[in-house]
């Protein structure tokens, strides 16, 4: 790896590390605060708006990057996110928080693809190391942010968001100072026609014939994942207020760091991807049942130790599953579909997590929200377990049929 690419990798990893620290400081505290002063519904709405912003950014990221470069897009997105976070500390009311959350998501949705674009531009033999260190930096940042968030749980929101603002300014400077303007690929020709600033081409990747049902399964997984992230701070505020709202993320972050590589590597060698995905969802089923049945701190710890199996096992297995089930000529389109369904799952999940929490309280059935999530996770685990590899054969047969029809025409 050249000095320039190593330098850029340091900048990208520093940026994602600081971003995760900042995010896992503010969002558990804000969600718990809104759950206590307003309702779980409004806490879910505010978090949902961050994902609405991220999805909206996909419509103009390509146009922005074509005009100001990848580095410029990272800088602009991070600066937007930083300013919105700073204003969060001075805002009041769920409407203001929702607007600022949209801007936070918009900035994140512009900066994050830029960081990924830098890594994609590395040579093939250097990409595995680049992406693995990127993922590790994100996980370490998550764990660090949860720890710092616990220390800042009792400060006023103005101080909290001022600290987060300073961290995101560091993210802005660290990433943009080290990365090249357009990555390490070929520089775009000066006379090349630039894509429109606003484009709906992303919709072309939503439908992938023969594999859409698998992307729907992915959307449900992200629905469950974000449901945990929004629901657990509300849960802690209601049933375990003696602990910081970010405390569960100390446990999940450390567990992922320790188990992700060895556990996934072992299981994927001995089981097919669908079975590994089923195990991840089974772990989430156990976790949601524990949250609902126990609710106290020991049960929260048990749940946090098992809920991470979803991220450890489902996410990488799903990538392998899709690669096997989708024909090679449709993989690029499949990547667009994966992003869309993930965003959709996150948006719906963050909103419904708050609604289900409120309903559980109004029904006077503590943990009902977690039982519903456990049933959904168990159903998805069964689908993964009993779905064989017929998807790839069906997709291949479908492609052959299309080719025959084209030849006949």
């Amino acid at each position: 790896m050249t000095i320039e690419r190593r330098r850029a990798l340091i900048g990208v990893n520093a940026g994602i590390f600081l971003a995760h620290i900042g995010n896992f400081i503010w969002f558990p505290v804000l969600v718990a605060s809104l759950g206590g002063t307003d309702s779980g519904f409004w806490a879910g709405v505010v978090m949902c708006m961050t994902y609405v912003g991220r999805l909206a950014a996909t419509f103009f990221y390509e146009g922005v990057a074509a005009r100001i470069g990848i580095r410029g897009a990272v800088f602009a997105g991070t600066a937007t996110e930083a300013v919105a976070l700073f204003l969060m500390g001075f805002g009041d009311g769920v409407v203001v928080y929702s607007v600022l959350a949209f801007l936070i998501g918009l900035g994140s949705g512009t900066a994050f693809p830029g960081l990924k674009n830098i890594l994609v531009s590395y040579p093939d033999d250097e990409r595995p190391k680049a992406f693995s260190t990127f993922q590790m930096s994100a996980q370490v940042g998550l764990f660090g942010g949860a720890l710092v968030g616990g220390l800042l749980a009792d400060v006023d929101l103005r101080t909290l968001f001022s600290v987060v603002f300073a961290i995101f300014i560091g993210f802005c400077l660290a990433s943009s100072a080290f990365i090249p303007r357009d990555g390490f690929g070929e520089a775009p020709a000066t006379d090349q026609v630039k894509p429109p600033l606003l484009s709906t081409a992303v919709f072309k990747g939503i439908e992938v014939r023969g594999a859409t049902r698998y992307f729907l399964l992915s959307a449900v997984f992200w629905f469950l994942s974000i449901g945990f992230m929004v629901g657990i701070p509300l849960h802690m505020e209601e049933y375990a207020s003696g602990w910081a709202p970010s405390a569960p993320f100390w446990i999940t972050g450390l567990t992922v760091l320790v188990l992700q590589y060895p556990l996934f590597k072992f299981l994927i060698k001995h089981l097919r991807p669908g079975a590994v995905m089923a195990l991840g969802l089974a772990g989430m089923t156990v976790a949601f049942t524990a949250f609902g049945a126990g609710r106290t701190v020991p049960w929260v710890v048990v749940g946090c130790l098992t809920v991470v199996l979803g991220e450890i096992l489902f996410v990488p297995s799903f990538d392998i599953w899709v690669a096997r089930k989708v024909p090679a000529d449709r993989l690029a389109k499949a990547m667009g579909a994966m992003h869309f369904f993930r965003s959709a799952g996150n948006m719906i999940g963050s909103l419904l997590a708050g609604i289900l929490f409120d309903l559980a309280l109004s029904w006077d059935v503590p943990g009902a929200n977690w039982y519903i999530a456990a049933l959904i996770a168990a159903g998805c685990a069964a689908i993964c377990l009993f779905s064989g590899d017929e998807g790839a054969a069906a997709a291949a047969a479908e492609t052959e049929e299309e080719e025959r029809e084209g030849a006949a025409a």
Side-chain angles (χ1 to χ4, degrees):
M1 186 178 292
T2 65
I3 295 176
E4 290 77 11
R5 286 198 289 270
R6 187 175 293 110
R7 175 185 171 90
L9 186 59
I10 291 172
V12 169
N13 287 337
I16 202 65
F17 168 74
L18 292 171
H20 275 69
I21 285 182
N23 283 327
F24 278 85
I25 288 174
W26 73 266
F27 97 79
V29 175
L30 183 63
V31 168
S33 175
L34 290 173
T37 59
D38 294 275
S39 67
F41 167 75
W42 286 113
V45 166
V46 171
M47 291 308 300
C48 177
M49 290 305 294
T50 64
Y51 291 100
V52 173
R54 289 182 188 182
L55 188 59
T58 63
F59 298 120
F60 64 84
Y61 167 75
E62 185 180 4
V64 170
R67 287 163 174 78
I68 62 176
I70 297 175
R71 180 175 59 201
V74 171
F75 184 91
T78 309
T80 300
E81 197 172 358
V83 171
L85 284 164
F86 180 73
L87 294 176
M88 273 279 196
F90 297 86
D92 185 32
V94 291
V95 174
V96 174
Y97 287 142
S98 296
V99 172
L100 292 173
F102 174 82
L103 294 175
I104 290 170
L106 197 67
S108 174
T110 305
F112 185 77
L115 297 180
K116 278 293 187 76
N117 274 8
I118 295 297
L119 300 183
V120 169
S121 70
Y122 277 53
D124 289 343
D125 60 334
E126 296 179 1
R127 284 179 192 167
K129 178 181 179 180
F131 277 104
S132 63
T133 57
F134 183 82
Q135 182 66 19
M136 181 61 69
S137 297
Q139 291 299 331
V140 174
L142 183 159
F143 181 61
L147 288 175
V148 177
L151 298 175
L152 299 175
D154 296 325
V155 304
D156 63 273
L157 291 182
R158 185 170 298 184
T159 302
L160 178 79
F161 280 103
S162 295
V163 171
V164 175
F165 169 73
I167 291 172
F168 269 82
I169 290 297
F171 168 22
C172 189
L173 297 176
S175 58
S176 59
F178 287 93
I179 63 178
R181 185 186 187 279
D182 295 298
F184 295 102
E186 292 184 7
T190 55
D191 58 346
Q192 182 178 345
V193 177
K194 291 183 174 61
L197 189 59
L198 178 66
S199 172
T200 58
V202 65
F203 285 120
K204 295 179 181 179
I206 292 175
E207 193 276 333
V208 179
R209 183 184 275 180
T212 301
R213 63 186 182 274
Y214 303 124
F215 296 126
L216 288 172
L217 178 66
S218 172
V220 177
F221 168 80
W222 291 111
F223 164 89
L224 294 169
S225 180
I226 196 65
F228 161 73
M229 294 179 69
V230 173
I232 200 65
L234 296 172
H235 184 94
M236 297 296 289
E237 181 71 14
E238 181 70 22
Y239 301 110
S241 56
W243 277 36
S246 60
F249 300 110
W250 308 347
I251 304 168
T252 58
L254 184 60
T255 306
V256 170
L257 282 174
V258 172
L259 291 182
Q260 181 156 21
Y261 181 74
L263 184 60
F264 175 71
K265 182 180 178 181
F266 173 79
L267 289 176
I268 203 65
K269 282 184 177 180
H270 296 86
L271 300 172
R272 60 185 177 83
V276 179
M277 291 162 61
L279 285 176
L281 287 161
M284 297 180 82
T285 303
V286 171
F288 296 147
T289 303
F291 294 147
R295 295 185 300 284
T296 55
V297 168
W299 287 100
V300 169
V301 173
V302 171
C304 288
L305 289 172
T306 55
V307 76
V308 295
L309 292 177
E311 181 177 347
I312 291 172
L313 301 179
F314 182 94
V315 178
S317 298
F318 183 75
D319 291 339
I320 296 173
W321 209 34
V322 168
R324 291 181 181 178
K325 290 183 179 292
V326 177
D329 61 332
R330 291 181 184 165
L331 277 177
K333 191 177 183 182
M335 296 303 106
M338 288 172 67
H339 175 76
F340 178 86
F341 283 106
R342 174 173 180 165
S343 297
N346 281 329
M347 286 191 295
I348 297 171
S350 56
L351 184 60
L352 285 185
I355 293 175
L356 290 174
F357 180 81
D358 286 348
L359 287 176
L361 294 180
S362 65
W363 293 338
D364 196 24
V365 182
N369 54 318
W370 296 117
Y371 296 142
I372 293 171
L375 287 173
I376 296 172
C380 291
I383 292 172
C384 292
L385 187 61
F386 296 110
S387 292
D389 295 326
E390 74 282 354
E398 187 178 274
T399 301
E400 292 177 3
E401 179 65 24
E402 289 176 353
E403 290 175 350
R404 284 195 297 268
E405 289 176 358

